[in-house]
Amino acid sequence: MSNNGPSTNGTHSNESRQWLRSGISESAAARRRRSLAAQNRHVGLHPSYIRPTEDIFNADDQRIKDDILAIVMQYLADEGYHASHTVLYDEANVKWKEKEERLAEAKRLKKAILDGDWQEAEKLCTKGLLKNHRTFLYSVYKQQYLEYIDRREIQKAFAFLNKRLKPLEQLQTKPNEFKDLCYLLTTKSIAEVPSFRNWESPMTARENLVEQLQNMIEFETADRNGNRYIPQNRLLTLLRQAVAYQIEFSRYHPKIAPTINSLLEDYTTFVIPNAVGETLIGHHGNVKCVEYLGVEGRTLVSGSSDNTLRLWDVESGDCLDILRGHQSRIWDVSCTPQGDYLASASGDASIKIWNVREGKASCVNTLNGHTGDVYSVHYHPNETHLVSGGYDKTVKMFDVNTGATVKTFVGHQLAVTKTIVNPLGNLIISGSKDNTIKFWDIVSGLCIKTISSHLGEVTSVEMNSSGTLLLSSSKDNSNRLWDVRTGKPIRRLKGHQNTSKNFVRAGFADNNLIVGGSEDGIVYIWDLGTGEILQKLRGHSGLVYETAWNATQGLLASCSDDQTVKIWRYDENVPIE
C-alpha cells in the first residue's frame, strides 16, 4: 500500500498509523463490512442463464390467472386472513360464474360438432371460451373439409379450402398438412394421404375433435369453488425457488447460505470490489462517462473526448460497437431500465438518442435546444422524457419521441453540471458551477429548494433508489450526503481529490456503499452508513472521472483520463486493503 497520508508519530496506536498510512478505515464497523463482503466467491456468469422474460408463461392465460388466484387464496387461509380470503373468494365467484357460462358454450359446441352443425360450430368458435383459440377453429374447418372430400363434393371442398383453410395455413399441426389437404382434391380416398392415414369415418373424426376440445377446456371443469389440488405452502415454495434461482445465477455465490430479509427487490450480493476484472481499451481520448445498459448490465457504454461512444461486453471486455455522430466530446450518458435505448450529451450542444436493442446501435433522434456544451443527460422514469443541463445555465426537459423541448428551468447563475430525476418522477435535481443544488417541481417548473452549503462547484448529484438520500460531489474536495426530506446534511465524505477543472463524480453502489472518482487516479469506496473509506482501487494512470455500479452483475466500472475503462469485481484471493 502506498503512503498517501500524513506521517505518524509515536503517540498513535498501530491501528491509527495504519489508518493514516493507507487512508482506509480500520474501525470495527469497517472491518465488519469487509468481513461481510469476504463471505462470497466469484463464479462469473452461469453459461446457461435463462432470462425471466414474458414468454416463460402467458400472464393473460386464464389457467395461469386461476392458478395465481388459487395460490393467493391458499396463503390467505393458511395465514389466518379469513376476511380477506372471503372477499377474494366472493370476487372470484363472479369469475367462476362467467366460467360456467363458457362451459355451457363448450357443451353446445360439442353437440354442434357431433351433429355436423358446422354453422353453429363456427359461430361458437369465434366468441366466448374459444375466441382466441384459432388453432381449434382451424381443426373445425379441417373436419368440415374432410367430410366434403369423404362425400366427394370436390367443388365445395375446393371453394372451402380457399375461403376458410388457406387464411389459417400457418396453424397446420404437421409440416406438410396443408399440402396434403390440397392433394386430397385429386385422390380417391382420404386414407391415401400420409397426414390422414388413420382416417376411419366422419363420425369417428368428430368424436376425436370433441376429445381435443375436452382436453383444451379440462381446466374449466374444476369445481366452481376452485377445489383443485394445490401443493402445501405453494406460494412460499415458489418464492423460495425464485430466490434460490437468483442466488444460483448470481455472479457471486455466498459461502454461507444467506438469510433473505425482503422480497421487494431481487437478491444481490454485498461485495466490495478489490480487483480489476477487465481493462477496456479502444478510446483515443479521455473517457468522461460510463454506464451499464439497463438493470441487467451485461453491456457497458462509455463516452469519450474522441467524440464517440463505445459498447462493451462486460464478461469478455470486447468492444461490441462504436457509436459515431457527435461532433465534440461526450460528457454524459443515460440508459433506459431495459437497456434498449441510451442518450448521450455532447459538447456539440446536442443530445442523441440511440437504439441499442437490435444489436447494431443506431441514432434515432437528435435533440437540440441548448446553446453550448450539454454536460448532463438523464432519463425520466417514464422513459418518454429526459432532462439535461449545460453551459447555458439551464435545465431542460425533452420529449424523447418528438425531440421537442417540453420545459426549460431557469435559475442557476453558472453552467449546470448534472441533472437527475427522483424515483417518483416529480422532481428534477440539478448541480451547478454556481456551488448550488436546486430542486425543481416538474409540473410548475418552479425551484422549490436550493442547497448552498458547498464551497466549490458542484460536479454531480445522485439519489439512492428510494429517493430519500442525495449525494453531491463538489470541487471543495468533498462528497456530501443529504436528507432529501429536510435538506440537511448527514455526513461529509473525504479522502479523495476534487479541486481542479474536471467533472469528478460519485454515486451510490447498492444502497450500502458510495463510490467515486478522484484526481489522484484512485477509485474510492466509502461506507454509506459511517462515511469511512473501505477501499481504494488503484490501477488507472490518470484521474478517474466517474464510476458506475451494477447491482445485478455486482460489478463496478470506472473511466479515466488514461483513455481506459476498468471493470472491478470482488476476488476472494486478493486481500481487501
Side-chain angles (χ1 to χ4, degrees):
M1 292 180 288
S2 61
N3 188 349
N4 294 323
S7 60
T8 61
N9 57 48
T11 62
H12 292 104
S13 66
N14 289 336
E15 182 172 300
S16 297
R17 285 197 296 272
Q18 187 167 1
W19 164 267
L20 292 170
R21 187 166 58 247
S22 69
I24 296 176
S25 173
E26 284 297 329
S27 70
R31 288 198 300 269
R32 281 195 300 272
R33 277 290 194 191
R34 288 193 282 268
S35 175
L36 180 63
Q39 294 176 12
N40 302 283
R41 65 180 185 277
H42 182 264
V43 295
L45 287 183
H46 200 288
S48 60
Y49 175 74
I50 301 173
R51 298 177 66 187
T53 52
E54 293 180 0
D55 55 2
I56 288 181
F57 63 80
N58 181 9
D60 293 325
D61 187 325
Q62 190 58 48
R63 287 169 293 186
I64 297 295
K65 291 183 176 181
D66 285 350
D67 288 349
I68 294 173
L69 190 61
I71 290 170
V72 171
M73 290 177 67
Q74 181 197 54
Y75 179 79
L76 291 174
D78 289 347
E79 295 297 313
Y81 294 101
H82 301 299
S84 298
H85 177 273
T86 301
V87 170
L88 184 56
Y89 172 81
D90 290 341
E91 290 183 357
N93 268 340
V94 175
K95 294 288 186 182
W96 283 317
K97 183 177 180 181
E98 294 173 358
K99 186 187 298 182
E100 285 184 343
E101 292 173 354
R102 295 198 300 272
L103 285 175
E105 286 181 8
K107 290 179 181 178
R108 293 201 302 272
L109 178 55
K110 289 178 186 178
K111 184 178 186 303
I113 291 172
L114 292 174
D115 292 345
D117 186 352
W118 301 117
Q119 186 176 356
E120 176 69 7
E122 181 179 6
K123 184 173 70 173
L124 291 169
C125 281
T126 54
K127 70 173 189 177
L129 177 66
L130 295 172
K131 66 179 178 181
N132 295 320
H133 291 275
R134 288 168 57 81
T135 53
F136 188 73
L137 178 60
Y138 171 81
S139 296
V140 170
Y141 285 159
K142 182 172 65 176
Q143 175 66 25
Q144 192 173 353
Y145 173 78
L146 291 173
E147 292 193 18
Y148 280 136
I149 295 294
D150 190 70
R151 295 195 299 268
R152 308 307 299 162
E153 297 180 33
I154 302 303
Q155 285 296 110
K156 287 185 178 180
F158 178 75
F160 191 83
L161 178 73
N162 285 300
K163 185 177 181 181
R164 292 285 189 262
L165 284 169
K166 178 62 178 173
L168 300 179
E169 179 182 353
Q170 74 277 10
L171 301 176
Q172 59 185 332
T173 56
K174 299 174 185 176
N176 295 315
E177 185 176 77
F178 189 79
K179 181 180 176 182
D180 286 347
L181 287 171
C182 297
Y183 182 52
L184 282 172
L185 294 169
T186 64
T187 62
K188 294 181 179 180
S189 169
I190 294 176
E192 290 180 25
V193 178
S195 295
F196 308 104
R197 188 173 290 116
N198 297 324
W199 173 271
E200 295 180 10
S201 68
M203 184 50 68
T204 301
R206 290 177 187 178
E207 290 171 353
N208 291 337
L209 188 58
V210 167
E211 184 178 353
Q212 179 185 339
L213 173 63
Q214 180 61 33
N215 290 335
M216 286 179 58
I217 63 173
E218 189 173 11
F219 70 94
E220 297 281 5
T221 62
D223 184 278
R224 72 184 300 274
N225 293 330
N227 293 329
R228 292 171 294 158
Y229 171 69
I230 305 173
Q232 191 174 7
N233 298 321
R234 186 59 180 157
L235 178 61
L236 296 178
T237 299
L238 288 173
L239 291 173
R240 290 188 180 106
Q241 289 172 349
V243 173
Y245 169 88
Q246 293 173 9
I247 295 173
E248 174 63 25
F249 287 90
S250 171
R251 179 177 292 274
Y252 303 94
H253 280 189
K255 296 178 181 178
I256 302 172
T259 300
I260 304 301
N261 297 316
S262 174
L263 297 173
L264 299 182
E265 296 180 348
D266 288 349
Y267 170 81
T268 55
T269 312
F270 176 74
V271 294
I272 300 176
N274 65 340
V276 176
E278 297 288 343
T279 297
L280 312 181
I281 300 173
H283 279 296
H284 302 294
N286 56 40
V287 187
K288 293 192 174 294
C289 52
V290 65
E291 183 80 22
Y292 285 92
L293 281 189
V295 175
E296 199 167 294
R298 291 185 165 224
T299 305
L300 192 71
V301 59
S302 57
S304 168
S305 290
D306 64 10
N307 304 353
T308 71
L309 298 106
R310 287 179 179 251
L311 299 180
W312 310 87
D313 182 277
V314 167
E315 195 65 15
S316 67
D318 294 336
C319 180
L320 303 175
D321 202 357
I322 302 175
L323 283 60
R324 295 182 172 90
H326 281 295
Q327 303 303 310
S328 185
R329 68 190 65 190
I330 315 298
W331 286 106
D332 198 15
V333 291
S334 180
C335 304
T336 57
Q338 296 303 314
D340 45 6
Y341 288 92
L342 68 88
S344 54
S346 170
D348 63 11
S350 76
I351 299 165
K352 288 188 180 292
I353 308 298
W354 307 84
N355 182 343
V356 291
R357 178 176 49 192
E358 306 299 337
K360 192 71 175 176
S362 61
C363 180
V364 295
N365 208 348
T366 299
L367 313 181
N368 297 300
H370 285 284
T371 56
D373 286 47
V374 186
Y375 292 132
S376 176
V377 64
H378 187 90
Y379 267 99
H380 188 279
N382 66 15
E383 300 184 25
T384 60
H385 295 83
L386 54 78
V387 297
S388 61
Y391 180 79
D392 60 9
K393 309 175 190 177
T394 67
V395 175
K396 291 183 182 293
M397 173 176 276
F398 289 91
D399 184 302
V400 171
N401 298 315
T402 66
T405 302
V406 176
K407 195 165 288 185
T408 299
F409 304 82
V410 179
H412 282 295
Q413 302 305 306
L414 293 172
V416 178
T417 56
K418 187 67 177 177
T419 53
I420 61 172
V421 183
N422 70 332
L424 292 177
N426 63 330
L427 291 177
I428 296 172
I429 302 94
S430 58
S432 169
K433 287 187 176 184
D434 64 10
N435 301 2
T436 68
I437 300 166
K438 289 184 179 292
F439 292 72
W440 308 86
D441 177 73
I442 287 181
V443 175
S444 67
L446 299 176
C447 178
I448 59 174
K449 185 186 298 182
T450 298
I451 296 176
S452 305
S453 301
H454 276 296
L455 302 177
E457 298 176 6
V458 178
T459 55
S460 77
V461 285
E462 292 292 341
M463 192 168 275
N464 67 342
S465 61
S466 63
T468 57
L469 298 176
L470 180 74
L471 175 67
S472 60
S473 301
S474 170
K475 290 182 183 178
D476 62 11
N477 229 26
S478 74
N479 297 322
R480 298 194 186 191
L481 199 63
W482 308 85
D483 184 308
V484 172
R485 185 178 60 84
T486 63
K488 294 182 178 179
I490 297 174
R491 62 183 53 88
R492 185 176 178 182
L493 311 170
K494 299 172 65 177
H496 66 301
Q497 295 176 20
N498 183 10
T499 58
S500 60
K501 297 180 180 180
N502 298 294
F503 288 164
V504 175
R505 293 166 169 166
F508 293 93
D510 213 14
N511 287 335
N512 291 304
L513 304 173
I514 291 172
V515 294
S518 175
E519 291 167 357
D520 59 12
I522 299 173
V523 176
Y524 284 76
I525 302 178
W526 293 270
D527 187 311
L528 184 148
T530 65
E532 298 173 318
I533 297 175
L534 296 178
Q535 176 71 307
K536 292 182 180 181
L537 302 176
R538 295 175 172 86
H540 283 293
S541 59
L543 74 90
V544 179
Y545 290 105
E546 186 177 59
T547 59
W549 170 258
N550 183 267
T552 303
Q553 299 296 332
L555 295 175
L556 177 69
S558 59
C559 58
S560 169
D561 192 53
D562 64 11
Q563 304 185 7
T564 71
V565 174
K566 290 187 182 292
I567 298 177
W568 307 83
R569 62 179 177 82
Y570 172 70
D571 185 343
E572 61 180 325
N573 298 313
V574 177
I576 298 179
E577 289 192 8

